[in-house]
Amino acid sequence: QVQLVESGGGLVQAGGSLRLSCAASGLAFSSYAMGWFRQAPGKEREFVATINRSGARTFYADFVKGRFTISRDNAKNTVYLQMNSLKPEDTAIYYCGASSRYYSTSNRITGTDDYDYWGQGTQVTVSS
């Protein structure tokens, strides 16, 4: 009965902002690192950002660094992705994942195989 439900996607013009949310249930949320991935048409799912169990550590893909911020609220069992300065190439379905692996400087949990659970995704479309 584990569920990850993303929300907050939509259509936005280049340069705009969106905040994605992922609400988790059926798991001990604070025992999981959380991540955001995205998949554009015709492409493989790619890593965007991850955050460790406590929220004290984050790691980002180079192409979003400085524009996106991942955060979590363990009291609300929710992870967020604040996306600013959006570009058309950010257009994709964005997925939330939960990982039982421990985040460390040697393992930033950037692979899809690192994650145990996935949400259904939310569409982000950035127009030029």
Side-chain angles (χ1 to χ4, degrees), residues 3-118:
Q3 289 191 64
L4 303 176
V5 181
E6 302 96 334
S7 62
L11 175 64
V12 65
Q13 289 188 325
S17 298
L18 286 172
R19 189 175 79 154
L20 307 183
S21 298
C22 173
S25 61
L27 78 169
F29 185 73
S30 62
S31 295
Y32 288 82
M34 301 297 295
W36 287 97
F37 288 70
R38 68 188 188 186
Q39 188 165 18
K43 296 184 178 181
E44 297 296 315
R45 190 171 299 189
E46 66 179 350
F47 168 77
V48 175
T50 191
I51 188 166
N52 77 338
R53 299 181 182 195
S54 69
R57 300 285 185 267
T58 59
F59 184 71
Y60 300 90
D62 286 343
F63 54 81
V64 302
K65 196 171 297 182
R67 300 189 297 125
F68 292 8
T69 302
I70 188 171
S71 61
R72 67 190 295 162
D73 186 341
N74 284 352
K76 296 182 178 180
N77 287 1
T78 302
V79 64
Y80 305 94
L81 185 68
Q82 178 66 47
M83 305 187 295
N84 299 325
S85 302
L86 283 161
K87 305 174 181 179
E89 52 263 44
D90 294 320
T91 295
I93 301 174
Y94 282 72
Y95 296 92
C96 171
S99 175
S100 60
R101 296 177 180 266
Y102 274 99
Y103 176 98
S104 72
T105 55
S106 60
N107 180 16
R108 263 72 183 269
I109 316 178
T110 61
T112 57
D113 290 347
D114 292 327
Y115 290 80
D116 304 294
Y117 304 106
W118 295 95

